[in-house]
């Protein structure tokens, strides 16, 4: 087990080094003006403004990404269907809901799961991450986001100057779909009440939906990720920002820059709503 974890960490480190070297090479090419290549001294770079000088790196992403200027983001057109309030048909505390989930047999996933996966983190968190469904490692341990995608999520959380234990992490589904397939519509509907109750009890300041399935389930929409990214939605009065699932970023590292922009918006909105 330890060897497998070390292997996964080594793979992530190798990917980070490759991305960093690419960015460094791009920077060297941009700085080499025609005059400097002909032996003449290079032109002095224009003085950097305070905004342009703030360059941030996301650990595990390693490519440097300038922080875009903050701008107010108005909620999208997908409306909040109901106010944020606990359901009357479910327990009013999270541990009681966890026990209910552990005994749940509402769909066929109860026959193939090893463990149910309820949540991790602070029940008073200002930021809630919602993913799609447990994977193999999560099914084995009963904790969300503990595999390679979880390791990357930990780095993403650290990059916005927070700790994993300060946020609340859960999934739309509480059981692993076989072979990590996309959740079926009926599975989402049967698990939805548990998620709704989690959000209502935690009452986060901001929700970050990790991946298309999570965003579609929360917003009850069939919209694509490309049409939702970069926008702020409302889930029952709580701002919701969709971004890519960490597993998608591991498969396609070119998406990491866009995810980092999303995370900075999440961070700024949490700070704004916490200080208000």
């Amino acid at each position: 087990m330890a060897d497998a974890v070390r292997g996964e960490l080594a793979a992530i480190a190798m990917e980070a080094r490759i991305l960093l070297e690419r960015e460094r090479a791009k920077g060297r090419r941009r700085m080499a003006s025609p005059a400097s290549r002909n032996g003449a001294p290079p032109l002095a770079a224009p003085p950097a403004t305070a905004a342009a000088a703030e360059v941030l790196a996301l650990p595990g992403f390693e490519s440097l990404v300038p922080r875009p200027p903050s701008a107010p983001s108005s909620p999208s057109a997908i409306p909040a269907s109901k106010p944020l309030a606990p359901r009357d048909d479910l327990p009013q505390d999270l541990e009681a809901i966890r026990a209910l989930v552990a005994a749940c047999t509402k769909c066929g996933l109860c026959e193939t799961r090893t463990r149910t996966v309820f949540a991790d983190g602070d029940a008073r968190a200002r930021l809630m991450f919602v993913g799609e469904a447990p994977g193999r490692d999560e099914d084995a341990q009963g904790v969300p986001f503990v595999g390679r995608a979880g390791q990357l999520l930990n780095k993403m959380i650290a990059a916005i100057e927070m700790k994993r234990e300060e946020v609340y992490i859960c999934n739309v589904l509480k059981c692993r779909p076989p072979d990590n397939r996309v959740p079926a519509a009926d599975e989402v509907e049967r698990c939805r009440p548990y998620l709704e109750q989690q959000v209502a009890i935690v009452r986060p300041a901001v929700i970050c939906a990790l991946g298309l399935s999570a965003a579609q389930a929360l917003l009850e929409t069939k919209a694509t990720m490309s049409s939702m990214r970069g926008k702020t939605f409302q889930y029952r009065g709580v701002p919701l920002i969709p971004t890519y699932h960490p597993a998608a970023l591991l498969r396609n590292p070119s998406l990491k820059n866009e995810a980092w922009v999303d995370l900075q918006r999440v961070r700024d909105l949490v700070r704004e709503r916490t200080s208000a």
Side-chain angles (χ1 to χ4, degrees):
M1 183 69 178
D3 291 341
V5 172
R6 283 195 293 270
E8 291 173 352
L9 292 174
I12 294 174
M14 176 64 73
E15 176 189 342
R17 287 195 293 270
I18 293 172
L19 289 172
L20 180 58
E21 185 55 36
R22 288 176 181 171
E23 291 300 316
R24 286 174 173 169
K26 290 178 182 178
R28 288 194 293 268
R29 288 196 295 270
R30 285 193 296 267
M31 294 177 64
S33 65
S36 64
R37 287 193 295 268
N38 292 330
L43 296 174
T49 64
E54 186 176 6
V55 178
L56 304 176
L58 177 56
F61 287 33
E62 303 315 303
S63 52
L64 299 178
V65 182
R67 178 186 176 192
S70 296
S73 176
S74 58
S76 172
I78 298 178
S81 57
K82 302 175 184 177
L84 184 65
R87 298 171 60 105
D88 295 332
D89 58 341
L90 287 174
Q92 304 299 301
D93 68 273
L94 292 172
E95 287 308 308
I97 303 170
R98 184 191 295 270
L100 197 63
V101 165
C104 181
T105 58
K106 288 183 178 180
C107 74
L109 295 181
C110 66
E111 300 174 2
T112 58
R113 73 191 180 205
T114 302
R115 290 181 172 87
T116 55
V117 181
F118 185 66
D120 190 31
D122 187 354
R124 300 166 298 176
R126 304 304 292 154
L127 174 59
M128 174 183 282
F129 287 98
V130 180
E132 174 183 286
R136 180 190 61 190
D137 296 304
E138 291 75 20
D139 177 66
Q141 299 183 41
V143 181
F145 286 91
V146 292
R148 285 191 67 202
Q151 294 168 18
L152 183 54
L153 178 60
N154 292 345
K155 294 178 181 179
M156 294 163 70
I157 294 170
I160 56 174
E161 301 170 25
M162 299 185 75
K163 300 177 182 178
R164 180 176 172 118
E165 55 266 28
E166 294 175 335
V167 304
Y168 191 83
I169 305 171
C170 62
N171 286 302
V172 175
L173 297 192
K174 312 308 182 190
C175 300
R176 179 196 181 193
D179 300 319
N180 293 351
R181 61 163 171 74
V182 175
D186 65 308
E187 294 165 351
V188 171
E189 288 309 307
R190 284 169 172 78
C191 246
R192 186 186 300 280
Y194 301 134
L195 177 61
E196 290 176 348
Q197 197 75 333
Q198 284 176 294
V199 179
I201 292 173
V202 175
R203 300 189 72 84
V206 178
I207 298 172
C208 181
L210 297 170
L212 179 61
S213 292
Q216 289 180 336
L218 285 162
L219 298 173
E220 300 185 55
T221 179
K222 296 297 184 182
T224 63
M225 179 59 77
S226 61
S227 69
M228 290 189 287
R229 257 211 71 255
K231 299 176 183 176
T232 301
F233 298 87
Q234 291 286 327
Y235 175 83
R236 302 189 178 184
V238 181
L240 184 152
I241 296 177
T243 192
Y244 299 108
H245 193 284
L249 301 178
L250 291 172
R251 293 191 300 268
N252 190 352
S254 65
L255 299 175
K256 289 181 177 180
N257 284 355
E258 294 179 15
W260 179 216
V261 172
D262 296 336
L263 285 172
Q264 291 175 91
R265 292 179 58 245
V266 169
R267 176 199 61 199
D268 292 346
L269 189 54
V270 170
R271 290 176 178 174
E272 175 187 325
R273 290 178 59 83
T274 301
S275 61

